[in-house]
Amino acid sequence: MSSLESDNRPGPRHVAVIMDGNGRWAQARGHPRTVGHRQGAEAVKGVVRTAGEFGVSYLTLFAFSAENWKRSAREVQDLMGLLRTFVQRELDDLRDNGVCLRVIGDRTPLPEDLQDMLARAEAQTRANRRIAVTLALNYGGRQDIVNAAQQMAQGVADGELGVDEISLQAFGDALSTSSLPDPDLLVRTGGEQRISNFLLWQCAYAEMFFIDKLWPDIGPDDVHAMVETYQHRRRRFGAIIGS
């Protein structure tokens, strides 16, 4: 039993994470940035396991942003290779441990073999219910909103949607995260305090947690601290609680 299970205060159901600091972690140790990315992938495995133990049902990880294509061709190539390796090596464990893997973002620029691997991983883990892990790949929050607006505009143009039917709920249903609840907690590692175009609409009421630790150094104690911090915050959603 985790130390949080006996606490009556609810923990976050959905945690979204900006995994920052892989490159800096490697450079501080005199290694190429790719070494930091590999170590970051190891951290992902531990965080997925620990988050599930603490009752998190949904974990969304910002793995590759739409802006990351601006990095050197070598680093992008290495990141694509790391994704391949991660899916190949971890798929059996994900499937056997109740992890449902999902991907959001524009996959079309990704290598075709990687697209196929991701699709197979999604299909093979779709029935799992212990924790849903979503990888945001080639994802941008603004583009997600634009795509939803275009989809709804097309519906109006085709006569399938009335203007008065455009609502907060309908717009949310048009986003790439329509199958997920909005994040309760947004975490960013690495010391930066911005959300960097990640889940802009979805994080309207998310609690923010910024930690100076670099992503490869994140472990179970840090996940515990994130969840516990959330439990101690008072979520009002615009209402006045107490006197």
Side-chain angles (χ1 to χ4, degrees):
M1 176 183 294
S2 80
S3 61
L4 300 180
E5 288 179 356
S6 61
D7 197 319
N8 292 326
R9 292 168 296 186
R13 184 183 180 204
H14 183 181
V15 177
V17 185
I18 301 173
M19 306 179 292
D20 196 11
N22 291 338
R24 283 177 285 157
W25 184 93
Q27 290 172 336
R29 290 159 176 76
H31 300 309
R33 290 174 59 86
T34 53
V35 174
H37 293 309
R38 293 192 192 101
Q39 193 64 33
E42 291 299 314
V44 166
K45 294 191 292 184
V47 167
V48 169
R49 180 174 58 252
T50 307
E53 292 171 355
F54 285 157
V56 175
S57 299
Y58 302 88
L59 181 66
T60 300
L61 305 172
F62 205 4
F64 189 87
S65 76
E67 290 77 22
N68 285 158
W69 295 106
K70 299 174 184 177
R71 298 186 179 185
S72 71
R74 176 61 183 273
E75 184 170 354
V76 170
Q77 184 179 14
D78 287 340
L79 284 168
M80 295 299 116
L82 181 60
L83 278 168
R84 289 188 187 91
T85 301
F86 180 83
V87 174
Q88 287 174 333
R89 290 183 178 176
E90 304 303 325
L91 179 55
D92 288 345
D93 282 345
L94 295 173
R95 185 174 55 238
D96 295 342
N97 287 287
V99 177
C100 175
L101 184 68
R102 310 177 185 190
V103 178
I104 58 172
D106 181 8
R107 307 185 203 191
T108 54
L110 302 179
E112 288 188 11
D113 67 314
L114 179 55
Q115 293 183 48
D116 292 340
M117 291 174 63
L118 292 169
R120 287 197 299 271
E122 288 179 303
Q124 292 182 31
T125 63
R126 186 169 292 127
N128 287 346
R129 292 293 180 267
R130 179 171 175 267
I131 183 171
V133 176
T134 301
L135 297 181
L137 296 173
N138 193 30
Y139 175 86
R142 287 178 173 178
Q143 190 60 51
D144 199 7
I145 292 170
V146 168
N147 291 345
Q150 290 175 333
Q151 178 181 326
M152 301 193 81
Q154 189 64 56
V156 172
D158 293 341
E160 300 172 353
L161 180 70
V163 172
D164 58 351
E165 294 178 289
I166 298 176
S167 63
L168 294 176
Q169 180 65 50
F171 197 89
D173 289 343
L175 294 167
S176 63
T177 53
S178 58
S179 62
L180 306 174
D182 286 343
D184 302 297
L185 177 64
L186 173 67
V187 175
R188 180 170 187 150
T189 63
E192 303 293 348
Q193 298 188 17
R194 55 180 178 270
I195 60 176
S196 295
N197 199 22
F198 183 45
L199 301 178
L200 299 180
W201 175 280
Q202 298 88 336
C203 284
Y205 286 100
E207 295 293 321
M208 304 290 179
F209 185 88
F210 300 106
I211 182 171
D212 289 336
K213 255 189 185 180
L214 304 178
W215 176 253
D217 289 327
I218 296 296
D221 288 346
D222 301 298
V223 178
H224 187 162
M226 295 170 194
V227 174
E228 192 170 46
T229 296
Y230 174 87
Q231 288 180 308
H232 283 85
R233 294 189 183 177
R234 302 181 71 189
R235 290 168 61 74
R236 298 178 176 86
F237 299 101
I240 297 175
I241 299 176
S243 58

